[in-house]
Amino acid sequence: MNWDALHWPEIGEATLDTLTMSGVSLLFTVLLGLPLGIALFLTGPGRLLEQRAVYAVLSLAVNLLRSLPFVILLIVMLPLTVWVTGTSIGVPGAIPPLVAAAAPFFARLVENVLREVDHGVTEACLAMGARVHQVVLGGLLPEAWPGVLGAITVTAVALLSYSAMSGAIGGGGLGDLAIRYGYQRFQTEVMVVTVAVLLLLVQAVQWTGDRVVLRCTRR
């Protein structure tokens, strides 16, 4: 391997692109996935707003999106991606499919986290005359907050992985660099460096998320 052939500025730019597309996608994923996860929880069997038909539709939509392989989702969403961002390549072209893949995943994590909250919290809020939105905002979410932060961390790590796959259709970032140089031009040193950078990013995100969750967990 010829390590002198590595173009570090391009690797740095690809790393920044990966962080940008993952960070922006995480923001939209939380904005969409958190209310969706709360809706799944509230409309589920035995919950405050039990609506079996609504829950079935939401659950089916979430499962359909989660079951699609991300590479297939990238291709299927090309027309929608172009309509939303004006392009299907680069960082802007990667964000819509990243959000579409991660939001259902995050919503299901949120639903599971809310299920683990002691039912007594809901009963106590209702006994004090709280309405549904007050139960959610004042009782359930504060209790579930460490779990939600843990779910955000897991989703952020998944987005880093997805962002690397988006390089298969010119999505930019480290995945794109690995495919163009490591796979198509047989420059193994580029592949090794991009994998190492991705591993470091995942470790950094997981370590930071664990510290934040630990700090927010009530003892």
Side-chain angles (χ1 to χ4, degrees):
M1 289 186 286
N2 181 16
W3 297 101
D4 294 333
L6 286 173
H7 194 216
W8 290 105
E10 192 169 5
I11 293 173
E13 184 179 350
T15 303
L16 185 60
D17 285 346
T18 293
L19 290 173
T20 300
M21 73 174 78
S22 299
V24 174
S25 300
L26 181 63
L27 173 63
F28 283 105
T29 294
V30 172
L31 290 177
L32 294 174
L34 184 59
L36 179 57
I38 293 172
L40 280 167
F41 172 77
L42 291 177
T43 58
R47 302 301 175 184
L48 285 174
L49 300 176
E50 180 178 347
Q51 291 286 337
R52 292 184 182 274
V54 174
Y55 179 80
V57 171
L58 291 177
S59 186
L60 178 62
V62 166
N63 288 340
L64 283 175
L65 285 172
R66 290 178 61 204
S67 64
L68 278 177
F70 183 62
V71 174
I72 302 298
L73 186 63
L74 281 169
I75 298 171
V76 170
M77 284 194 60
L78 280 177
L80 179 61
T81 301
V82 172
W83 182 72
V84 172
T85 65
T87 179
S88 63
I89 60 175
V91 173
I95 290 175
L98 284 172
V99 174
F105 173 73
F106 178 66
R108 191 64 84 184
L109 291 178
V110 170
E111 181 194 11
N112 290 333
V113 168
L114 291 174
R115 282 179 177 173
E116 294 176 1
V117 175
D118 191 337
H119 190 61
V121 174
T122 301
E123 292 180 343
C125 292
L126 292 175
M128 290 186 289
R131 297 185 176 182
V132 174
H133 72 278
Q134 292 171 322
V135 173
V136 173
L137 296 176
L140 291 175
L141 283 181
E143 286 294 322
W145 191 237
V148 173
L149 290 174
I152 291 174
T153 302
V154 172
T155 305
V157 171
L159 279 170
L160 282 171
S161 175
Y162 290 160
S163 72
M165 280 190 277
S166 69
I169 61 165
L174 291 167
D176 179 58
L177 198 68
I179 290 174
R180 284 192 291 115
Y181 290 92
Y183 178 68
Q184 296 176 345
R185 303 181 191 181
F186 303 105
Q187 294 184 7
T188 308
E189 62 276 4
V190 176
M191 184 72 78
V192 171
V193 169
T194 52
V195 170
V197 173
L198 280 171
L199 285 173
L200 288 174
L201 291 178
V202 168
Q203 289 297 318
V205 169
Q206 189 65 57
W207 184 87
T208 304
D210 289 344
R211 299 285 84 75
V212 173
V213 170
L214 189 62
R215 190 176 286 270
C216 294
T217 302
R218 296 178 180 176
R219 296 179 179 277

